[in-house]
Amino acid sequence: MTTINDVAHAAGVSPATVSRVLNGGRVTAERAERVRRAAAELGFAPNRVARSLRMRRSSLVGLIIPDIGNPFFTALARGVEDAAQRTSFSVVLCNTDGNLDKERRYLDIAIAERMAGVIVAAASRSRTDVSALQSRGIPVVAVDRRPRGASVDAVLVDDEEGGAAATAHLLARGYRRVACITGPQGTSTAEERLAGYRRALQEFLDDGPGAPAGEADLLRDYIRHADFKVEGGHAAMADLLALPRRPDAVFAANNLMAVGVLQAVREAGLEPPEIGVLSFGEVPWAALVQPGLTTVQVPSYDLGRTAAGLLLDRIAGTEQPLRTVVLRSSLQIGRTTAGPRSGMARRMSGKQQTPAEDPR
Amino acid sequence: MTTINDVAHAAGVSPATVSRVLNGGRVTAERAERVRRAAAELGFAPNRVARSLRMRRSSLVGLIIPDIGNPFFTALARGVEDAAQRTSFSVVLCNTDGNLDKERRYLDIAIAERMAGVIVAAASRSRTDVSALQSRGIPVVAVDRRPRGASVDAVLVDDEEGGAAATAHLLARGYRRVACITGPQGTSTAEERLAGYRRALQEFLDDGPGAPAGEADLLRDYIRHADFKVEGGHAAMADLLALPRRPDAVFAANNLMAVGVLQAVREAGLEPPEIGVLSFGEVPWAALVQPGLTTVQVPSYDLGRTAAGLLLDRIAGTEQPLRTVVLRSSLQIGRTTAGPRSGMARRMSGKQQTPAEDPR
DNA sequence: GTGAAAGCGCTAACAA
DNA sequence: TTGTTAGCGCTTTCAC
């Protein structure tokens, strides 16, 4: 394996000069050229391991995500990738499957490999611990989910707002028994989307034209916690549909659960918008699955790009106060939330229950 | 940052002894215990970079795949992960988007980082070049796709067999104008699945009950090359459906293109099995998209697990001849290929054209 | 079984 | 601008 010394020897210069040529130090054009030629002839490939040891930091950046099968995270990963592409850092992608042990293992590796920084979508809000990285001076940026208490830069989505907008939309379209299937307790996204749902319901009850007595209590029965996966969404929806007074609309707090919901809805012989269905986050191949699915659009790619930007800033060492960037979601209205009576009957009698509304 | 020397000092032993404790050398129990306690107290985390430099090889294994958005490859990645999990090696996942430049960049990084080995699903059969790795002694295993001419271990699927079985199945079910949408020219999977398609058609024409004149030529017009993506499959299918004599069945040579095909079929107002649709590789959430999609099942997870196994063998240095492992696919028959006249009419008149058949 | 010492390949401080 | 030198933190002879 040829080293920088071999190249130096071949070019008749010192190793330091070769290093300078490689890393943009000041070297006279003539010598630089000689070095480059020698390097090319010898097929020299700099040893990044040695470089990392010397610099006490590698040129690897870790990206830790909970579900590589979720298109949301793959889009996010692409965003990180593309941002890193223009730098000398390389991204290594780590999938935890939402498993805290796997996550811990990857965080340990990040330390052991002296990675330059880590972007993490935490498996758990309270139990993901990045303090070991921080105490060793490895910059950490949280994406999508914010670990509780950790003082890290973060790039988040306006989950609560998005959840509220989604729920308000369903209510505005005339649905009255609106259910919410949210994610596991202890993830910030699940909690905040649910909080948005609750807030929108409350506001509706407060402002609205006097709801029937007991309605508020009833609504509480329409909340389910699932696992952010297709199967969980399916089970939760089947459960909801088995209720004596089943919901007439559902807000699925992530994309995969929305797929499960649609599945359950179809199995029950129902067809949106007879029952309202709304997803938080784009559903892959949604057009085929369910044309016109109403969706809270989440800027997953930008989430990744922005997180990478913050991380690279930190790695560069720019002294900065802690930053939290919140990216805005936007409601894309489709046909699956047209209203409970928006079928044939509605089309014949004209619009009756779609009040003007602000799609945020 | 605490080092092995700090630990040695605290435990009153030499750095060499600490290293032995960490890596399973022979040390008396008493001293080993002292070392371990000191390490824990100091929060010592071994520096893998230094270790890699000294060992002239890192404990990272690269996995290079062309499409992180394709569930086939994410399943494969999980297989690799799980196999590596039980060793001291960590997997770094690299997504090339089928782009040769990106792929080259990742291969360069694998060299520069002195990775212990690389598993690669090549972006191109002829233009992906892993010789630089090999000449530097980095073991390479090809998975799913075999780079042409490269002498590497490989784990493949019986693509040609699978393609033939798929096509034979369609013919056996009574479809006569069977189209094939395959992948980009220059990927082994696309070429071999197409070859299987051709072989099955030929065998049918040879053995079968004399096809109408010109049939063989006609069939040639039913082949399309697309990009292994949803959009490509959609466009190709739309194109086929616009033919004056359009196909009555289609074999999509990968899962994502099958999604696009189903989309185009639906847009054309058709409904399988009126038109036969068959996918090579599982379609994500297929149950929802199209219940009962006939599929050539590909053992993606096992592909990854097996590839990791071969790679780890090589890394261990076991002297071995070059190995190619071919995993078998299996046809899972669903409703989308029940036969061109298998709708209402058929159900009433009893089975007419489903000869006995071997689902491999 | 244990320690001293050398060295993996690079970068950076310093001196020239 | 250039070369000399030291050292990043570990593993591994080799001698004891």
Side-chain angles (χ1 to χ4, degrees), chain A residues 3-4 19 23 44 47 51 54:
Chain A
T3 75
I4 210 174
S19 175
N23 301 301
F44 170 67
N47 184 332
R51 180 174 211 270
R54 177 60 229 238

Side-chain angles (χ1 to χ4, degrees), chain B residues 45-294:
Chain B
N47 184 332
R48 280 227 235 171
V49 177
R51 179 172 211 270
S52 300
L53 178 60
R54 177 60 228 238
M55 311 255 292
R56 316 175 90 175
R57 176 221 285 173
S58 92
S59 37
L60 260 24
V61 158
L63 171 58
I64 301 183
I65 59 175
D67 184 4
I68 201 197
N70 187 337
F72 168 79
F73 288 111
T74 58
L76 190 155
R78 282 208 165 83
V80 173
E81 265 294 334
D82 289 355
Q85 203 73 258
R86 310 124 148 284
T87 73
S88 57
F89 294 97
S90 319
V91 177
V92 318
L93 184 51
C94 311
N95 172 47
T96 66
D97 276 325
N99 176 324
L100 279 162
D101 281 334
K102 280 195 187 182
E103 188 180 62
R104 202 160 13 237
R105 196 150 40 222
Y106 278 123
L107 291 171
D108 286 346
I109 291 170
I111 294 174
E113 294 284 352
R114 299 298 188 267
M115 290 192 186
V118 172
I119 297 174
V120 54
S124 158
R125 184 164 197 179
S126 52
R127 284 146 71 213
T128 293
D129 182 14
V130 297
S131 60
L133 303 209
Q134 300 192 287
S135 71
R136 288 176 169 81
I138 299 179
V140 175
V141 172
V143 68
D144 186 49
R145 306 157 174 208
R146 184 212 309 265
R148 175 145 36 217
S151 36
V152 294
D153 289 319
V155 183
L156 307 172
V157 173
D158 59 345
D159 289 301
E160 212 235 319
E161 269 304 299
T167 308
H169 168 72
L170 288 167
L171 291 166
R173 282 296 167 90
Y175 298 104
R176 285 298 169 266
R177 299 191 302 282
V178 177
C180 174
I181 299 178
T182 190
Q185 247 136 356
T187 54
S188 65
T189 43
E191 285 169 5
E192 290 176 17
R193 289 167 198 175
L194 177 60
Y197 163 83
R198 285 208 161 103
R199 171 158 69 80
L201 283 186
Q202 197 55 52
E203 285 172 359
F204 179 78
L205 291 175
D206 292 351
D207 304 355
E215 184 100 54
D217 284 328
L218 183 57
L219 287 172
R220 218 145 287 156
D221 294 337
Y222 287 149
I223 294 172
R224 293 291 181 280
H225 282 272
D227 60 358
F228 275 153
K229 304 267 176 69
V230 175
E231 203 27 72
H234 180 269
M237 191 62 195
D239 183 50
L240 285 167
L241 288 175
L243 288 177
R245 224 169 113 75
R246 72 181 182 204
D248 63 356
V250 60
F251 161 41
N254 93 331
N255 53 358
L256 298 190
M257 295 197 304
V259 172
V261 163
L262 287 170
Q263 211 162 355
V265 162
R266 195 164 291 187
E267 284 164 12
L270 298 169
E271 177 86 42
E274 163 192 8
I275 179 167
V277 177
L278 194 158
S279 167
F280 201 111
E282 243 168 321
V283 170
W285 311 307
L288 185 65
V289 170
Q290 175 70 56
L293 178 64
T294 298

Side-chain angles (χ1 to χ4, degrees), chain B residues 3-4 19 23 47 51 54:
Chain B
T3 75
I4 209 175
S19 174
N23 300 301
N47 184 332
R51 179 172 211 270
R54 177 60 228 238

